[in-house]
Amino acid sequence: MAKVLVVAEIKQGVLKGSTAELLSKAKAIGAQTAVVAIGSDIESLLPDLVGAGADQQYIADDARLALFSAGPFAACVVDAARQFDADQVWFGFSESSKAVAPRVAAQLDAACATEITDVMFEQGHIEVIRPAITNKVLQRVRINTERMVAVVRAGAFAADPELAGSENVVRLAPPPADLKAVIKELVSEAGSEIDLADADIVVSVGRGARNQDGVELVKALAEELNAGFGASRAMVDAGFMAHNKQVGQTGKIVAPTLYMAIGISGAIQHLAGMNGSKVILAVNKDPEAPIFNVADYGIVGDLFEVVPILRQEIKKIRS
Amino acid sequence: MKILTTVKKVVDVELNIHVKDGAIVEDGLQYVINAWDENGVETAVQLKEDSGAETTLVSIGGGDNTDVIRRCYAMGIESGMHIDDPALEKADAFIYARVLQKVFEAGDYDLVITGKQAQDTDNGQTGIILAEYLGLPCVSNVIGIEVLDDKHLKVSRSGDAGTEIVALELPAVVTVDVSINEPRLPQMRGLMMAKKKAIEKMDLTALGTSADEIGCAAPKSEIVAFMATEKRSGGRKFEGDAAEITARVVDLLANEAKVL
Ligand SMILES: Cc1cc2nc3c(=O)[nH]c(=O)nc-3n(C[C@H](O)[C@H](O)[C@H](O)COP(=O)(O)OP(=O)(O)OC[C@H]3O[C@@H](n4cnc5c(N)ncnc54)[C@H](O)[C@@H]3O)c2cc1C
Ligand SMILES: Nc1ncnc2c1ncn2[C@@H]1O[C@H](COP(=O)(O)O)[C@@H](O)[C@H]1O
């Protein structure tokens, strides 16, 4: 039987949905499962970790793990993987996962597959599906090693609400600090805003919004909808939006129920981050904008005119 | 400071890519320098200009790499090598990292700059694995570098909750994101000069290693087939009076798509 270790995704003290999604997939293929949770002050997450559905929980809880540092985090994952004798280590999709997974793979002498959307257990080996070339193609990749480390693309697997875990906790020793790459500071940009990755609705602003006033206008729409608020790279580079709000190939991958692209042209690198959304709405004044080729609903118009009406109409329909 | 920057020649992602019988149709493809590597080259050149760093690039595979390497020369890179060998045909990130390890060990480098990811693989692994093989500290997804002294950098990386500031001791590996800088456009004069510069070409033997030592015959993973991505098709596009069409679309979102 396959043994799958899932790395818990914890953000600002909260266990994220990807953890249960990955565990559900592991269970669905009949694997024995464990979860490893890494951070500081995370003891209180134990019920959630059990609830996420693993047979076993590895916990590395140490004050020195409060800030992300790839070396120590990788050391914890490797420690858990060795103790559990995992042949699969799966990460949810995040910037931290992308930094840690290749380290873990190198240390376990395992193959490494990033951004996978599916995993198949073929006779005697594993195959994964993943997009490549800025989402222009899918690759079917054969894993030649016994062990595999994977980063699973957001939205690839669904959580099984029936899944129940059992409590079997192993506490991990704190890892050695990385003395040569010392995390000094986190310049936080997140605040209490809704996490893009698990928002039901995401509203993103593009260069069409022009300036801070435009950004505020679109932000008000996001707030109205209780939606995650993202941006194209153009708005991040221009300094209007924080880095961790960038949606796209080199930013966040999102797959919400509804994605609103406001003043975004629809470059392939942006599409790579959001074309897994269930429904896409685009507002753009250029009827030829490529975003309309992927949008289910398109409004051709000036966002400065359309967005306030959108807010009004949504308010109306919701009340 | 001696810098080694890695540059991969990749397929131009802006052009259409077709898949037939599990393979990418080669006809009509064009090849360019990997976008993230262009940022890596710019980073190296800035460190040369601001802190007197020495800059070397290495590119592996890709057949004729002359244009890509000359472009980097024209941007300001001082020397370059191109490593190619038929044994690398099925190379995965681990194999490229092993080759880069040999290159690193043959030089006397303080800093390796790789791209965050290659546009053809979208793996985002090679630089990080290289650091593991070399036992060096590594910061990935870097968006800023400040030189503190000969042995220390202050780097910022874009992380999940914000920008992470890391004190990095050299020698080290960084992988850079496209946000780190705006790569300069090579000028005509630079391109002319670049033509006169030598490109050191090597196979694995010339590098002082062998296909066996690198493990070329046993990639940890290999692509068995390419498939076309499912294309989203555009739905309905509304033009006309803003108030009217917006109200109509909100109604459709609520009552047809049922997502509001
Ligand atoms: C390696 C690499 C990685 C990248 N990664 C990403 C990524 O992760 N995410 C990302 O987003 N981009 C990424 N990019 C950049 C991408 O190629 C585009 O440059 C970027 O997405 C453009 O942002 P935009 O659509 O906001 O701006 P533009 O392309 O300038 O589009 C602005 C749009 O606004 C419309 N508009 C203007 N005024 C109005 C108005 N008043 N009302 C309504 N509409 C209006 C215009 O018609 C236009 O379509 C990457 C590029 C590279 C090379
Ligand atoms: N064949 C290669 N030649 C030179 N550099 C490479 C090669 N493959 C990968 N790299 C470097 O490693 C980075 C990440 O590649 P990847 O792991 O394939 O996404 C790239 O941006 C390059 O800087």
Side-chain angles (χ1 to χ4, degrees), chain A residues 8-29:
Chain A
E9 190 180 353
I10 301 168
K11 274 190 199 152
Q12 294 174 309
V14 178
L15 184 68
K16 292 296 176 182
S18 70
T19 311
E21 290 166 10
L22 270 51
L23 285 167
S24 299
K25 177 69 182 183
K27 275 286 173 199
I29 56 171

Side-chain angles (χ1 to χ4, degrees), chain A residues 180-182 184, chain B residues 1 3 43 47 51 53 110-113 137 139 142 144-156 165-174:
Chain A
K180 295 188 164 174
V182 184
K184 290 291 185 192
Chain B
M1 185 173 14
I3 299 176
T43 308
L47 287 168
S51 312
D110 302 291
L111 178 65
V112 182
I113 304 176
V139 184
V142 166
I145 297 182
E146 196 186 312
V147 179
L148 298 179
D149 58 45
D150 284 4
K151 282 268 153 249
H152 299 91
L153 304 178
K154 182 173 145 187
V155 303
S156 31
I165 314 290
V166 182
L168 185 61
E169 185 179 314
L170 300 176
V173 179
V174 294

